[in-house]
Amino acid sequence: MVMKTYSYDYDEYEEGKGPSTMVEDILADPEFPGLTELVIGSWGSAYEDGCQPIIDGIVENAGQFGHIEKLFIGDMDFEECEVSWIIQGDYSKLWAALPNLRELTIKGSTDLGLGEICHENLEALTIICGGLPTGVIEEIEKARLPKLKKLLLYIGSDNYGFDGNADTIRGFLERVQLPQLEYLGIVDSEIQDELAAAVLESKFMGQIRTLDLSCGTLSDKGGELLLEKIPQYGNIEKLDVHYHFMSDGMVKKLEALPVAVDASEKNVADNYRGETYMYAMLTE
C-alpha cells in the first residue's frame, strides 16, 4: 500500500484553501496516481465547513480515483478539531463511484449520512466519533456489504450524538447481514457493559475472530459476561478490551482465557459527592 495524507494548516486556510480546493489539489499532485491509500486530514475549517465538496469532488472525478483501495476522511487530532465538532457529509454517491474501495474510515458524525449502502468489495468500515446517531446505525443495518470483514463503530456518548441505547445495538446486530464478518468492534461507549451483553448475545459470536469492546466503560460486570461467554466460541482468537474500568483481578482472569487479550489502559472511576463517574475514551 502506498499512502499519502492531504491536509491544510491554518495558514493555508487563511490563504483560501478549504474543502472546495482539496480534490483539485489532490489531482494536481504527481504522486497521486501511484497511491492506493488516500487520507484526508484537516480541510482547514472542519468545525465550520463540512467535507461535502471533497466527497462530491471524488464522485465527480471517480475515474481518476479508481485506484484508491483505502480512504480515510477526517483524520485530524483534537488540536485541529475536536471529533464531535468535525462536520462530515453525505456518502450516498460514494459507494458506486469507488467500486474498488476495500476500506473506508470516517471520523466525525455531525451531519454524517451514508445513504443506501451497497458495495460488492468493501472489506472494512470504521466510524470514529464521539456519538453515533441512530440514523447512521440504521443505514448500516440495511447495508449490502457481502465482503465486509471488519466493522468498527465508536458508539460514544448521548452528549455528543448517540441517541440510542443497548436495545438499539441489540436490534442492529439482529438485523444487519454481514456474512463474511471476522472483526466486530462496538466500542467507546458510556454503557459498555450493556453493549457487551448485546454483542455477546448476537449471531456474530459464532463467526468472528476478533471481538473489540475497547475504549469504553467496561467494568467487572461486563468482564464476568466475557468470562462466561468467550470459552463457548472456539472461533474467537482475540479479545480487545483496552481502556477499561475493570479490577486487576478481573483482568488476570480475562488474560487467562484461551485467546489473545488486550486489557491494557486500566482506568479508575471518579467519585464525586457519592456518585461514580466513568467516561469513554473519545467523546468531545
Side-chain angles (χ1 to χ4, degrees), residues 158-216:
D158 56 7
N159 290 326
Y160 296 101
F162 178 58
D163 51 352
N165 53 35
D167 285 337
T168 305
I169 301 304
R170 184 174 286 105
F172 165 74
L173 294 172
E174 287 175 0
R175 292 184 287 270
V176 67
Q177 299 298 315
L178 301 170
Q180 300 298 319
L181 196 68
E182 297 178 357
Y183 182 120
L184 176 59
I186 302 293
V187 309
D188 191 55
S189 174
E190 295 190 337
I191 54 169
Q192 196 70 50
D193 286 339
E194 296 175 52
L195 298 193
V199 172
L200 290 168
E201 296 167 4
S202 76
K203 62 191 176 189
F204 295 109
M205 288 299 294
Q207 75 179 66
I208 59 174
R209 296 182 181 179
T210 298
L211 174 59
D212 188 347
L213 297 169
S214 64
C215 303

Side-chain angles (χ1 to χ4, degrees), residues 11-214:
D11 290 337
E12 289 171 315
Y13 170 65
E14 286 292 292
E15 293 169 0
K17 296 294 185 180
S20 61
T21 64
M22 181 67 77
V23 169
E24 179 183 353
D25 286 346
I26 291 172
L27 292 176
D29 180 4
E31 295 182 0
F32 176 66
L35 304 182
T36 52
E37 183 173 353
L38 173 62
V39 178
I40 307 293
S42 174
W43 45 88
S45 56
Y47 50 87
E48 291 181 342
D49 302 316
C51 63
Q52 195 63 53
I54 299 173
I55 299 170
D56 291 344
I58 293 173
V59 171
E60 290 165 7
N61 296 277
Q64 297 181 72
F65 283 84
H67 57 290
I68 297 299
E69 298 179 10
K70 293 185 179 183
L71 175 63
F72 185 166
I73 297 184
D75 184 17
M76 59 192 87
D77 61 26
F78 71 93
E79 292 181 342
E80 294 170 297
C81 187
E82 296 282 5
V83 65
S84 63
W85 300 0
I86 299 172
I87 301 175
Q88 268 291 334
D90 178 2
Y91 286 72
S92 58
K93 295 181 180 178
L94 189 76
W95 310 109
L98 299 180
N100 296 318
L101 193 65
R102 289 177 41 243
E103 298 185 15
L104 175 63
T105 301
I106 298 168
K107 189 170 185 179
S109 62
T110 300
D111 293 346
L112 175 62
L114 300 179
E116 184 176 335
I117 305 170
C118 182
H119 200 287
E120 297 296 325
N121 295 309
L122 195 72
E123 296 179 2
L125 175 62
T126 299
I127 300 180
I128 304 166
C129 63
L132 191 62
T134 55
V136 176
I137 295 172
E138 289 168 359
E139 289 175 322
I140 301 171
E141 179 183 304
K142 299 172 184 175
R144 173 176 164 72
L145 296 169
K147 291 186 179 179
L148 197 77
K149 296 179 181 178
K150 177 178 179 179
L151 179 66
L152 176 56
L153 301 178
Y154 282 58
I155 304 303
S157 163
D158 56 7
N159 290 326
Y160 296 101
F162 178 58
D163 51 352
N165 53 35
D167 285 337
T168 305
I169 301 304
R170 184 174 286 105
F172 165 74
L173 294 172
E174 287 175 0
R175 292 184 287 270
V176 67
Q177 299 298 315
L178 301 170
Q180 300 298 319
L181 196 68
E182 297 178 357
Y183 182 120
L184 176 59
I186 302 293
V187 309
D188 191 55
S189 174
E190 295 190 337
I191 54 169
Q192 196 70 50
D193 286 339
E194 296 175 52
L195 298 193
V199 172
L200 290 168
E201 296 167 4
S202 76
K203 62 191 176 189
F204 295 109
M205 288 299 294
Q207 75 179 66
I208 59 174
R209 296 182 181 179
T210 298
L211 174 59
D212 188 347
L213 297 169
S214 64

